[in-house]
Amino acid sequence: MKIKKMFRAYSLSVVWILCLVLFTEWAMAQELEDYPRKPNFIIIFADDLGYGDLGVYGHPTIHTPNLDRMAIEGQKWTNFYVGASVCTPSRAALLTGRLPVRSGMASNKSRVLFPNSVNGLPLEEITLAEQLKTVGYGTACIGKWHLGHKEKYLPTNHGFDYYYGIPYSNDMDLTRKLEGPTGYWDLWTKEYKNLEIADFNVPLIRNKTIIERPANQHTITKRYTDESIKWIEQNKKSPFFLYLAYNLPHVPLFASEEFMGTSKRGLYGDVVEEIDHNVGRIITLLENEGLAENTIVVFTSDNGPWIKTEISGGSAGLLRDGKGTTWEGGMREPCIFWSPGNIKPKVVMDMGTTMDLFSTFSKLASAEMPADREMDGIDLGPVLFSDGKSSRNEVFYYRGRDLYAVRVGAYKAHFITQEVYVHNPKRVEHNPPLLYNLDEDPSERFDISEKFPEVIAEIEQVVREHNSKMIKAPDLLALKEKTK
Ligand code: MG
């Protein structure tokens, strides 16, 4: 009798589970039919573009009418940060919503991945593309990847349905023989006008296949945009996520014939203006296709300007220093959000980071946040769509695997500073840390550590709490192939 009862109860629970599975599948199907309420997402990521390089961010001789217009119709953020001051870790932070030191995409030995690197972004990491795929999005990565060029790590193995691009930086696979210790820097300073496409044997990949080598970089900005437009047209009927990462204006600078010699800022300006023109083509497409109101476009850059390359590098405007450093110029970026009728037009002085896009987009797409790992983002929705404030009050500035500086509210403490792009860069530990009020002194000129020991104590407490929860993954950037 008892066994019979147990068997009946067991059968009933099996039926219940089956019903639950069927209901969940039905509910998910209904959710997908909710489109067009589920917004499309486009992230446009420039490479090494500085805080001061756009018209709307104050550049006096670079003309960027399309990005300026997006900033006026949407939101221009003035305290927006990336997860690291160089390419690979910054891109890992954007796509995983996590500090790069958590995924192993941070190293004190090799700051980025190179063509002879062995590893890439671990497959256990959840990229924004994988996250959005769980709720039915189509996904494409067009442009620079730089999270592992081996087939195993390419975008198509990280949640993207489609990939077209150069898998790492456009200055890699150098074919020139460089003379002396300053040879590399001479390329961008003395010789920068004489560079040839053949000097950089970088591959152009479609999905997993190399289709061109060396990639013609004169036309790469236009071709990335052509591919993006084609892909949007093919995928516009269901929710989509496009990650468009231009390789430029990272050196070497190459512009197309149409833009060469047209900017008052020289070749760097030509390149930025060509990017602006092509962003405009995407905006026009969205407007013409009736997609603008249901698409959120974000434009930002992976890290600050490469100042060492002199006239070939950009400008951080009034911010101190640039790429590779934990000064503001290295990690604070121009950031524009555009979605007419949805995003409240304003200049936003609250803090945000690229890692917040993961949380923000997940919420908008009704995708459940990963619960099995530490995430570093917040939902920016209250600022984007209403008069709410950003809940972000802290920014952590890592260089490689070490925490160099922390911002809490208006105050930033530098515990370590270090030179960059010189032989044996000098590393200095500061005790007490250098302290700046970034609201009053965005250029980090006046150390006020002596006047505000209580602020330093508060920041030190934030650091202790941060460190107590931090689990660093092993360094995956350092390992290189022996030959090549
Ligand atoms: Mg970069």
Side-chain angles (χ1 to χ4, degrees):
M1 198 63 185
K2 211 173 176 187
I3 293 172
K4 219 174 181 181
K5 261 188 181 172
M6 273 174 68
F7 180 73
R8 201 176 296 153
Y10 172 76
S11 316
L12 266 174
S13 29
V14 169
V15 170
W16 271 111
I17 289 167
L18 266 173
C19 286
L20 197 68
V21 168
L22 286 171
F23 175 77
T24 313
E25 277 188 10
W26 174 82
M28 275 173 74
Q30 293 303 303
E31 212 172 57
L32 290 183
E33 281 171 22
D34 281 348
Y35 181 77
R37 278 177 296 175
K38 229 171 225 190
N40 311 309
F41 304 112
I42 300 178
I43 296 175
I44 305 177
F45 216 37
D47 196 356
D48 292 8
L49 181 86
Y51 185 81
D53 281 328
L54 303 180
V56 73
Y57 279 81
H59 200 284
T61 51
I62 299 180
H63 188 50
T64 52
N66 295 291
L67 288 160
D68 297 358
R69 179 193 139 197
M70 286 167 66
I72 290 160
E73 291 177 359
Q75 293 186 357
K76 169 188 156 181
W77 286 58
T78 60
N79 284 272
F80 196 88
Y81 291 88
V82 286
S85 64
V86 288
C87 300
T88 297
S90 173
R91 285 153 205 272
L94 167 79
L95 286 180
T96 63
R98 285 149 56 81
L99 286 165
V101 74
R102 296 191 200 278
S103 63
M105 292 288 98
S107 166
N108 292 346
K109 292 179 187 140
S110 176
R111 299 196 68 187
V112 298
L113 290 165
F114 287 88
N116 61 347
S117 296
V118 171
N119 295 308
L121 182 69
L123 300 181
E124 299 76 40
E125 288 296 321
I126 300 170
T127 66
L128 184 51
E130 283 165 324
Q131 169 79 344
L132 292 171
K133 277 198 88 61
T134 65
V135 286
Y137 276 65
T139 55
C141 172
I142 293 172
K144 176 173 174 176
W145 176 239
H146 217 176
L147 290 172
H149 61 281
K150 302 263 185 212
E151 185 172 321
K152 180 181 170 189
Y153 299 112
L154 285 176
T156 43
N157 285 326
H158 268 302
F160 290 97
D161 302 329
Y162 180 64
Y163 176 55
Y164 176 90
I166 296 171
Y168 36 68
S169 294
N170 61 332
D171 65 336
M172 292 180 173
D173 294 323
L174 189 64
T175 56
R176 281 195 187 209
K177 194 173 181 303
L178 300 170
E179 304 294 337
T182 62
Y184 182 81
W185 301 113
D186 286 349
L187 270 183
W188 320 119
T189 52
K190 294 185 190 121
E191 297 185 51
Y192 81 101
K193 279 181 179 159
N194 303 320
L195 295 174
E196 306 275 343
I197 293 299
D199 291 331
F200 308 92
N201 193 32
V202 289
L204 178 64
I205 293 176
R206 190 188 299 281
N207 291 324
K208 291 172 182 171
T209 311
I210 295 177
I211 56 169
E212 186 179 304
R213 191 167 199 169
N216 183 349
Q217 297 197 42
H218 282 293
T219 54
I220 202 71
T221 297
K222 180 179 180 300
R223 287 192 289 163
Y224 283 170
T225 314
D226 292 344
E227 285 284 326
S228 299
I229 287 172
K230 202 162 83 187
W231 187 82
I232 292 170
E233 280 170 343
Q234 285 165 355
N235 290 275
K236 64 188 176 189
K237 293 217 167 75
S238 51
F240 64 81
F241 166 47
L242 168 65
Y243 171 46
L244 166 56
Y246 289 118
N247 273 92
L248 295 161
H250 189 295
V251 292
L253 301 171
F254 288 109
S256 69
E257 237 172 76
E258 194 188 340
F259 283 86
M260 191 78 91
T262 58
S263 166
K264 287 184 92 164
R265 167 59 179 84
L267 183 55
Y268 185 85
D270 298 343
V271 167
V272 175
E273 291 185 11
E274 182 158 16
I275 288 174
D276 175 79
H277 169 79
N278 280 285
V279 171
R281 290 177 60 208
I282 300 218
I283 295 303
T284 304
L285 170 80
L286 297 174
E287 289 173 330
N288 291 347
E289 297 280 354
L291 295 166
E293 282 74 23
N294 200 44
T295 303
I296 294 175
V297 183
V298 187
F299 178 91
T300 187
S301 173
D302 70 331
N303 53 251
W306 208 350
I307 290 167
K308 176 77 179 176
T309 65
E310 298 184 3
I311 201 72
S312 303
S315 163
L318 84 176
L319 303 179
R320 183 164 171 177
D321 219 309
K323 172 173 175 169
T325 75
T326 42
W327 297 102
E328 288 296 288
M331 291 176 64
R332 200 194 301 197
E333 292 305 317
C335 182
I336 297 166
F337 286 85
W338 182 84
S339 184
N342 300 312
I343 292 206
K344 233 180 137 75
K346 59 184 165 181
V347 174
V348 176
M349 296 183 187
D350 292 2
M351 279 184 259
T353 74
T354 49
M355 289 169 282
D356 301 333
L357 299 179
F358 192 108
S359 319
T360 307
F361 292 176
S362 293
K363 176 106 186 275
L364 289 165
S366 310
E368 197 131 322
M369 286 293 283
D372 63 342
R373 60 199 70 204
E374 198 72 38
M375 301 296 292
D376 293 294
I378 58 150
D379 174 23
L380 300 175
V383 191
L384 296 175
F385 306 110
S386 68
D387 288 323
K389 301 293 285 174
S390 165
S391 60
R392 177 172 288 285
N393 196 42
E394 292 156 4
V395 176
F396 298 95
Y397 304 70
Y398 276 83
R399 173 166 166 149
R401 301 178 63 76
D402 302 326
L403 186 61
Y404 273 38
V406 177
R407 177 176 180 176
V408 178
Y411 294 97
K412 177 178 176 186
H414 289 266
F415 298 94
I416 308 168
T417 54
Q418 189 168 3
E419 292 177 320
V420 72
Y421 306 121
V422 290
H423 185 59
N424 281 337
K426 203 162 77 186
R427 183 184 192 270
V428 184
E429 289 186 24
H430 304 277
N431 190 13
L434 305 173
L435 186 72
Y436 300 95
N437 179 328
L438 294 179
D439 285 350
E440 295 178 358
D441 179 21
S443 307
E444 299 172 280
R445 288 191 298 165
F446 310 110
D447 174 22
I448 51 173
S449 55
E450 276 183 21
K451 282 190 216 153
F452 295 99
E454 74 283 3
V455 173
I456 291 175
E458 190 197 329
I459 297 178
E460 281 172 343
Q461 180 56 27
V462 169
V463 172
R464 273 193 294 275
E465 274 169 37
H466 176 79
N467 288 344
S468 71
K469 285 185 278 179
M470 171 55 70
I471 300 166
K472 296 180 185 179
D475 168 0
L476 293 173
L477 303 186
L479 191 61
K480 306 270 169 62
E481 282 162 2
K482 288 211 174 85
T483 51
K484 200 170 179 175

